[in-house]
Amino acid sequence: MGVLLTLPILIPLFTAALCLLAWRWWRVQRVLGLVSAFALLCAAAALLYRVRTEGIQAVQIGAWPAPYGISLVADLFSAMMVMITGILGAAVAVYSAGSLDKARQSFGYYPLYHVLLMGVCGAFLTGDIFNLYVWFEVMLMASFVLLALGGGQGQIEGALKYVTLNLMASSVFLAAVGLLYSVAGTLNMADLARKLRHAPEPGIVTVLAMLFLVAFGTKAATFPLFFWLPASYHTPPVAVSAIFAGLLTKVGVYALIRVFTLIFVRDDVYVHTLILVIAGLTMVTGVLGAIAQNEFRRLLSFHIVSQIGYMIMGLALFTPLGLAGSVLFIIHNILAKSNLFLVSGLAQRFGGTFDLKKLGGLYEEHPALAVLFLVPALSLAGLPPFVGFFAKLLLIKAGLEAGSYVIVAVALGVSLLTLFSMMKIWTEVFWKPAPQRHPAVRRRAGAGLWASTASLAALTLALGIAAGPAFDLSRDAAAQLVNPQSYIDAVSRAHR
Amino acid sequence: MLTAVASGFILAILVALVRRISSPAAGWFLAALPACLAAYFSSQASRVWRGGPILEHHTWAPGMGVALDFRLDGLSLLFALLITVIGAFVLVYSGKYLRDRARLGRLYGLLLFFMASMLGLVLAGNLLLLYVFWELTSISSYLLIGFENQRAAARSAALQALLVTVLGGLCLLAGIVLLGNIGGSFEITALLAQGDAIRAHALYPAALSLILIGAFTKSAQFPFHFWLPKAMEAPTPVSAYLHAATMVKAGVYLLARLNPALGGTTAWTAALVAVGVVTMVGGAVLALNKTDLKQILAYSTVSVLGMLVFLIGLGTPLAFQAMAVYLVAHGLYKGALFLVAGAVEHETGTRDIGKLGALFKSMPVTASASVLAALSMAGLPPMLGFTGKELLYESALHAPVHAGLLTTAAVAAGALLFILAAAAGFGPFFGGGRHSGADVHEAPSALWIGPLVLATGGLVLGLAPALMNAAVRSATLAVAPAAATPVDLALFHGLSPALVLSAVSAGGGLALYSLHGRLIVAGDGLKPLAQWGPASIYDRAVGALNRIAVTQTGLLQTGYLRHYMQMVIVTTVALVIAGIVRWAALPQMVGPVGPQFHEAVLAVAIIIATIFAVRSTSRLAAVAALGVVGIGVSLIFALFGAPDLAMTQLTVESLIVILLVLVMYHLPDFGVFGPRRYRLRNLIVSAAGGITMTLLVLTAASVQYAPPISTYYVENSYTQAHGRNIVNVIITDFRALDTLGETTVVAASAAGVWAILRLRSRKGFFK
């Protein structure tokens, strides 16, 4: 029973280890990597099914009881995040197998890719605040190497900014964990929730919560802590950008939602107003940054920032509907954003560059790619019938019901600006006639590239059509977040 | 009805997938779908007219209030018939019209996609579903306006139309959600039933304004009208279909649809009548100085859309009748005139009325269709346009307030439309333009059949308007269930005031038409005024947006790591200090005991070493000073009962110093970077960060809510985990998962460093 909770960590761990052992044979690593990515996908699906049918799952590693040992916990939100990690992990594994240069494939790409997935899954599943820190470290190291691997000056420069700022966030996180332990005497998140709930006055806890806000806010790339993201995401190979774009910031958002629904729930008006302000500023500054760009991936990178604002908007509203909106928005955004990065890679393949001014003519030459761009782009702008519309609708509805008219106006305005900048890409890359052809153009792309890109687009459409079940899932996940008692209970009777 | 809507989408997708559909003849074949749908809707007509709305329900996302509800009543039936009938002819027409065969399949696909979306819009029985289709029409309109995407003008026109309509769409969405929150449902039937409660609600003004913005942008009402004339960049069949006959009426449809729920208040009437009248007159005036056939028609469409909004705003039973009749009349004549304009351009290569004339002999069939349609547009008997215009005048005469003013405006618009009809529908065939017509041939049948049938439809319905009685009655009933009156349409009602007004406007129009050439010239003189118009406001807004974006991003994303780091620290300090101040949680010193003497010495040593490290001009000295700091910290660990931690820290410190010394040779010169004020800022920021952390630690140390869990480890380390060294047991057993993770970090970094170094040194080895 508990094994399902550990599989999303163990599968990538063993894959990474085996890949390291097979260092000399990169083709073996590639096969291993693909098989394991799909195994992770299956394990994630099994876990989600289990959580959906039987409720929150928890297990104590090493059979040490909570709060003394480390708990792994999967509520619906966690299980959904692991599921989407599995989906993205598989899609990008296929894409990278078909697009990465041989040098990178032979020098550590596969083991590090799976270490990254391990860190992400660990972060989603852990029920222990210090263990969360460890998973952040795992992610940070793996992502840093992936970012710097095989790169020229620009890539190394981006990687340095990335790692420096993220290490600062990690230090803040670590300090916060230490201080929290000195105040509450425990590290288990469910135990923390229980002990802090009855604390005499929440003052110091709120102050510590601010440290977590900074730490996770940096990881999630919220205003004004997002600088590392646009500085680095456009530099590595597209497959790496895509998996980063999909997963890394979302782990930060996940952590924000987790601690601010489970642990720091006492001083809600102050904290939630603060998060609401951050949400609005993140949306606006991110989208304005995107509008200012003329490079495909830079533009997309700023959009990641902007969309983070929507995800924490639901947290700030702190209503069941708002949180459901956040959950659905995260899922939608992971699909759409990674999809767009994969499209940028194909566009670069066919057009020879990421520079919007130098691209063009792909509407005629590759109409299929045009469709694959439009689906996630329109979903990102919140247009129906894609899942992005339904996610936005939930947030708007929650905002209007809560009477937070300003944030609703901001969210709607930013979605217009999002559309504006998506259509900028569309105009430049697809509609505009091709300027002088870049010499390094390829005419074709492998089936793997098309299949992985198309499958994400298909999911964006499918989740829109299946908006009913998708909403039910998000609503139930949000219900568990709003009433953390079931989470706490699950940990206290955790299977050893 | 779900089938009807879905069939359009399915056929659109099929067309996109099957590349062979690029032959002009395929248009006839594809037109079978809208034709069948038209037949289906006609077959439902008698049921709807007699029995009332047909409802259909399928679930979609019940939790969100979104349902695949459809509702066919008199109003939606009227629209559905317009959409399918005109759609069929447009498909046939497109096959011959488009010269670029390779793109024909794309045009077919997009037109079908639009048709299905538009059908969905008018059939939706759920407001959120309506919104879904609403945006789908905006997207298909975008792709169709930019159909000739090689031209920059087409691309920017498409973007403008999209941004304006989606801006309205977003307002509409907010309005719909508000309305749903007020009424407790998104179902149209449920909302229409509780109009009084909605109108009395505190949020009614907000919901109303938002929905009105949505409707006004879509239906090109002043001041959002400017996107429609620009949308004439689209291929002509698209202009005929989307931007004259159907899509631009979506806003009108929405207003009529929601009239029972929202209408009748002073705010509603004032907004609709004012905006409608301004648009009605303004659109027609703006059309006067245009010489491009499509521009004339586009501005006259704006005018008619204003008229329809105005009629809905009037809110009398007669006005609703006028709206329904004119809606049909306009769809028929304007669709026909656009298609004629396309056929003329197809045969002559120009749309400039100054260059066209005397084409009647070469294109008799097209000309007949054009003249019939123009008669209807001019409001002359025995066309349907005449009946509609009579009803308009009648409604204006009986307007509850400002009847005189409104009648004047309506008559003026009628006169102006007369001129435009003559200029666009009559002039090219009988006027004295340059074209002798000698080298011009009649358009192929696919190009004239649509206009001819539509224009003839206007004639037949004009001669026997009673044919429309049931349809109009049923539509009026849907718009205003309470105010339904019997409908008795007739060509000739006797000598009524409206007939007199008709004569006045026709006479005025005829008189002014002779001056049309001078009006065009005079209009050129007014061009400087355009810079104050909404179109240039749009341009300036987009320009400002781009500038703001660049400026803001330049300020934030400077590219300097030090700025980013400062921002992180400043944010941390600000949030923490704000929290401490808010809770007045100033630190209480832990216990009464001050620091021991040796502790104080250690602290002073660390501080001095830190200052030295910062100020030193020699890298070696700075590294050594840092080593002192590290050793000092290890000693603190040792003093406070963590010898193993101290040992670890000591090892790490030594290692770092050794490593730094090793790489020192390769590092660039060590210097002081940046001017003094930069360093001052750095000092302030880092000092603030340090002081904040100190305050925080002192504060946190003064509070303890629960005893630490470490006692468990003390008790169980040996008995349960069989280890005497508690720290080791924690690392390897109690919290082994942490260690697993950290081991992975070490492995990943080792592999990473190896890979990065090897890959760099072997650059060029591959390939």
Side-chain angles (χ1 to χ4, degrees), chain B residues 134 157 175 207 212 229 245 247 327 345-346 353 368 434 464 494 503 509 566 568:
Chain B
W134 181 281
L212 287 186
M247 188 190 88
L327 184 78
E345 191 196 9
H346 192 265
I353 56 167
S368 315
R434 195 180 52 100
Q566 281 166 359
V568 174

Side-chain angles (χ1 to χ4, degrees), chain B residues 221-247:
Chain B
Q221 299 297 299
F222 180 85
F224 306 111
H225 63 278
F226 56 93
W227 69 264
L228 181 57
K230 259 199 113 179
M232 294 301 121
E233 295 290 345
T236 304
V238 172
S239 310
Y241 192 30
L242 275 73
H243 306 122
T246 58
M247 188 190 88

Side-chain angles (χ1 to χ4, degrees), chain B residues 144-203:
Chain B
L144 283 166
I145 297 173
F147 187 78
E148 289 161 17
N149 55 288
Q150 295 86 351
R151 293 189 297 114
R155 298 197 295 268
S156 75
L159 182 64
Q160 188 182 72
L162 182 74
L163 289 179
V164 174
T165 49
V166 169
L167 168 73
L170 291 170
C171 293
L172 173 64
L173 177 63
I176 287 176
V177 172
L178 276 181
L179 188 58
N181 285 351
I182 296 171
S185 168
F186 291 107
E187 256 186 77
I188 289 176
T189 312
L191 287 170
L192 297 189
Q194 43 181 325
D196 290 333
I198 291 171
R199 282 182 286 263
H201 197 277
L203 286 173

Side-chain angles (χ1 to χ4, degrees), chain A residues 43 162 210 246 250 310 331 347 359 374-375 384 400 420 429 451 487:
Chain A
Y162 172 84
M210 292 301 109
K250 313 311 175 288
Y310 288 88
I331 301 291
L359 283 163
L374 268 191
V375 170
L400 288 177
F420 177 69
V429 177
Y487 185 98

